[in-house]
Amino acid sequence: AVRLACTNLTLLTSSSVPFSTCISSSVRQRDPSFRRIWDLSLLVAVGPFDRGATKRMAHSVARANLGLTEPTKLDLPKISFAAKEIDLLEWKGDILAVGVTEKDVAKDENSKFKNSLLQKLDSKLGGLLSDASAEEEFTGKAGQSTILRLSGFGAKRVGLFGIGSSSSSLTYRNLGEAVASAAKSSQGSHVAIFVPLSDDSSAESKPSAAYSVAIGAGLGLFDDVRFKSESKQVVLKSVDILGAGNGPEIEKKLKHAGDVISGIIFAKELVNAPANVLTPAVLAAEATRIASENSDVLSAKILDVEQCKELKMGSYLGVAVASANPPHFIHLSYKPPTGDVKAKLALVGKGLTFDSGGYNIKTGPGCSIELMKIDMGGSAAVLGAAKALAQVKPSGVEVHFIVAACENMISGTGMRPGDIVTASNGKTIEVNNTDAEGRLTLADALVYACNQGVEKIVDLATLTGACVVALGPSIAGIYSPSDELAGEVLGAAEASGEKLWRLPLEESYWETMKSSVADMVNTGGRPGGSITAALFLKQFVNENVEWLHVDMAGPVW
């Protein structure tokens, strides 16, 4: 639930663009390229990316713990990032990783590199690089690498890492991840990554490239071993970024990268935690902990069942009522430490810590009920963004982070198909499918967000399988009636290397959502299921508030 948690607050921290999200990052473990959760593009130089005494999520809340499982308390590895201007031949350490494009590794008639930098490095190594690249058919394609173990040279290992035919924030991030993976395999503690930039690269692009490489390297080291009895320790201590220049701007970028990495890893851990460990109460406790650790800019309000009843959140409470674990409505508020607030924004995340489907229980092949711990991926993205934002401390913006946390279970008191629930804006909903529960919780969360006086809302949710069918496992769908907000989010996605696709809010499809006994049903037919889900959410957003919905069901895992 966090690949998408990928929310990119990159532009949110910019004085020129008040807000933007870009779901970033995935929490998926099977492919490191999906392991990002969102991005806040800011940052640098040499700061350990766990900044402060932040502990990895330990879930210390007192509770009856099914299975007696407790995650091991672990500190994030302290890795320093630094941008340096140094001759590659002079660098000393464990791995010298040289990023190359397909053009960079082109050879002449003597099978020697045409690229002057590679010529120089290959000459120093007695032609070993050119020979190895030929033997291993290394052509610089993205994902390719060839690594030499050396003696008598400044670096113990020298490797070429392909980034393909073009460069982007995604290719640079993947470069960082590939090098981090090599460092883990070889137990390297000091690594240098040369960033391949074109001769006409702008001054602005160099810090951004270094930032993306640092994000990739930091996330590439992450392994969630909290629930394993044995695990290897990460030994990587420092990453030098070469070829991108140095100075205050790039150092700031690298510092921000550390803040973002800590937020992304926090979100990944939330998604990975099993439902018997991460209950709604524990999710609320984690949110409260974030606020207490950053009390200069963050405050927390947790609403219990009675307080939610007072706010008439019948849609949310209807989902939560069947579970023995009570719901917790989470509201974190970020306010800048100094200066005036020029924009008020909200991030709303779906927070189903487990989804059985309710009476429309998930059954049969492909139902993935065993993965339904990830149904809180939207909330993980939102809380990860809160953690990162609290460390970055952008000025001029107030941000509300809202999660209606609960479980969707089955009991004699549970919501039944055919029941009618009433949301906090007074609209009634005929529940024709209890497994379309996420939108019911989001309905009241969106109403609550609008009541905070915000100008823009972005919600993130693992909402529909229909979106996965439409866009596949690695692309999130976005919906918005606002071209301006959609443009901001898509721009942030491009800057951070995330994959989003804008889908239509086809109003004519709303006909399938009409009920004969209530204002609406909670799900239409199979055709256009992701679109009708977005149209449902739209009913709970004030017309004067810009709103964007991210359906991250595919990239979350």
Side-chain angles (χ1 to χ4, degrees):
V2 215
R3 183 235 160 87
L4 262 209
C6 145
T7 301
N8 189 324
L9 288 177
T10 294
L11 302 184
L12 174 99
T13 59
S14 165
S15 59
S16 60
V17 183
F19 174 81
S20 179
T21 48
C22 129
I23 72 206
S24 138
S25 180
S26 166
V27 127
R28 88 184 337 181
Q29 295 298 306
R30 59 188 184 218
D31 183 342
S33 68
F34 288 107
R35 293 185 288 187
R36 320 175 175 71
I37 232 195
W38 86 87
D39 220 305
L40 241 152
S41 198
L42 340 159
L43 89 190
V44 189
V46 203
F49 67 68
D50 64 337
R51 297 184 85 228
T54 303
K55 290 281 187 183
R56 293 175 73 176
M57 188 171 59
H59 303 319
S60 58
V61 179
R63 66 192 181 287
N65 193 340
L66 176 66
L68 304 180
T69 300
E70 291 285 350
T72 303
K73 296 179 181 180
L74 298 172
D75 288 317
L76 286 170
K78 297 180 179 180
I79 300 172
S80 295
F81 296 103
K84 296 182 177 180
E85 282 291 343
I86 184 174
D87 190 314
L88 267 61
L89 303 183
E90 300 299 321
W91 187 84
K92 292 179 173 57
D94 294 306
I95 300 177
L96 174 60
V98 182
V100 293
T101 65
E102 293 178 48
K103 182 180 178 181
D104 291 334
V105 294
K107 296 178 180 177
D108 59 22
E109 62 277 6
N110 297 315
S111 298
K112 298 300 181 183
F113 294 116
K114 293 181 180 180
N115 180 279
S116 59
L117 178 66
L118 294 184
Q119 279 182 8
K120 183 178 178 182
L121 183 58
D122 193 37
S123 176
K124 181 70 173 179
L125 299 177
L128 289 176
L129 268 184
S130 56
D131 290 345
S133 65
E135 292 171 2
E136 298 180 20
E137 298 183 346
F138 178 84
T139 60
K141 290 181 179 179
Q144 285 188 324
S145 64
T146 181
I147 302 174
L148 302 177
R149 179 69 168 90
L150 305 170
S151 61
F153 188 66
K156 294 179 182 178
R157 288 176 171 83
V158 174
L160 300 180
F161 290 78
I163 67 167
S165 59
S166 61
S167 59
S168 67
S169 57
L170 179 58
T171 56
Y172 288 133
R173 179 175 287 189
N174 288 342
L175 169 62
E177 288 191 4
V179 176
S181 178
K184 281 196 296 185
S185 299
S186 63
Q187 293 291 291
S189 59
H190 302 288
V191 170
I193 304 175
F194 175 80
V195 183
L197 294 163
S198 60
D199 295 336
D200 58 352
S201 296
S202 65
E204 295 78 14
S205 66
K206 292 181 178 181
S208 296
Y211 169 84
S212 295
V213 169
I215 290 287
L219 298 181
L221 289 173
F222 173 70
D223 282 317
D224 194 348
V225 296
R226 294 168 300 150
F227 300 99
K228 293 185 177 182
S229 57
E230 296 181 4
S231 61
K232 291 183 179 180
Q233 294 296 314
V234 174
V235 300
L236 184 61
K237 302 299 182 185
S238 67
V239 176
D240 293 337
I241 297 177
L242 313 179
N246 56 12
E249 182 60 28
I250 196 169
E251 290 177 358
K252 180 182 178 182
K253 278 285 192 181
L254 292 176
K255 174 184 175 296
H256 288 170
D259 298 331
V260 172
I261 290 168
S262 68
I264 293 175
I265 288 177
F266 174 65
K268 288 174 179 285
E269 290 183 327
L270 289 175
V271 173
N272 286 341
N276 64 320
V277 172
L278 187 71
T279 62
V282 172
L283 187 62
E286 291 296 329
T288 302
R289 181 177 62 81
I290 294 172
S292 65
E293 291 175 354
N294 301 277
S295 57
D296 56 330
V297 291
L298 275 184
S299 61
K301 179 190 295 184
I302 310 297
L303 305 182
D304 60 21
V305 172
E306 293 305 315
Q307 290 169 309
C308 290
K309 285 182 179 178
E310 291 176 8
L311 294 175
K312 302 186 184 304
M313 295 183 178
S315 186
Y316 165 48
L317 294 176
V319 175
V321 69
S323 177
N325 290 310
H328 288 70
F329 192 93
I330 301 166
H331 177 196
L332 299 185
S333 298
Y334 168 84
K335 294 185 179 180
T338 59
D340 296 331
V341 171
K342 299 176 182 178
K344 292 186 179 181
L345 320 167
L347 292 179
V348 178
K350 177 182 172 183
L352 270 292
T353 58
F354 188 78
D355 176 21
S356 70
Y359 276 104
N360 292 104
I361 191 169
K362 298 178 185 293
T363 59
C367 72
S368 300
I369 191 171
E370 73 281 3
L371 289 179
M372 285 303 105
K373 66 179 185 177
I374 70 173
D375 215 16
M376 41 61 66
S379 68
V382 166
L383 296 180
K387 178 179 173 63
L389 196 71
Q391 296 178 67
V392 174
K393 296 179 174 57
S395 61
V397 62
E398 177 179 310
V399 187
H400 297 268
F401 305 89
I402 297 166
V403 174
C406 66
E407 293 179 330
N408 184 25
M409 301 297 284
I410 299 173
S411 77
T413 60
M415 182 174 64
R416 295 148 297 204
D419 284 356
I420 295 176
V421 297
T422 304
S424 48
N425 64 348
K427 293 187 177 182
T428 57
I429 306 158
E430 179 187 1
V431 180
N432 59 1
N433 190 328
T434 61
D435 196 21
E437 84 300 328
R439 65 197 71 183
L440 296 175
T441 66
L442 287 170
D444 283 325
L446 289 168
V447 172
Y448 183 92
C450 289
N451 290 338
Q452 306 311 307
V454 300
E455 297 141 16
K456 298 182 182 183
I457 298 174
V458 171
D459 78 75
L460 299 101
T462 50
L463 205 62
T464 69
C467 195
V468 184
V469 172
L471 299 179
S474 61
I475 302 173
I478 66 169
Y479 297 88
S480 180
S482 169
D483 290 340
E484 180 182 355
L485 182 55
E488 288 181 331
V489 170
L490 290 170
E494 183 177 357
S496 61
E498 293 302 328
K499 297 178 180 180
L500 304 182
W501 192 262
R502 189 179 183 185
L503 294 166
L505 278 169
E506 178 54 54
E507 292 290 345
S508 66
Y509 289 7
W510 184 247
E511 289 297 317
T512 67
M513 299 291 288
K514 291 183 177 179
S515 167
S516 61
V517 294
D519 293 331
M520 67 195 81
V521 292
N522 70 322
T523 182
R526 290 177 62 84
S530 183
I531 296 175
T532 54
L535 289 170
F536 178 91
L537 297 180
K538 185 172 178 284
Q539 311 308 307
F540 304 93
V541 180
N542 294 347
E543 290 185 358
N544 63 335
V545 176
E546 290 186 68
W547 160 76
L548 184 141
H549 163 59
V550 180
D551 192 333
M552 51 183 277
V556 68
W557 185 246

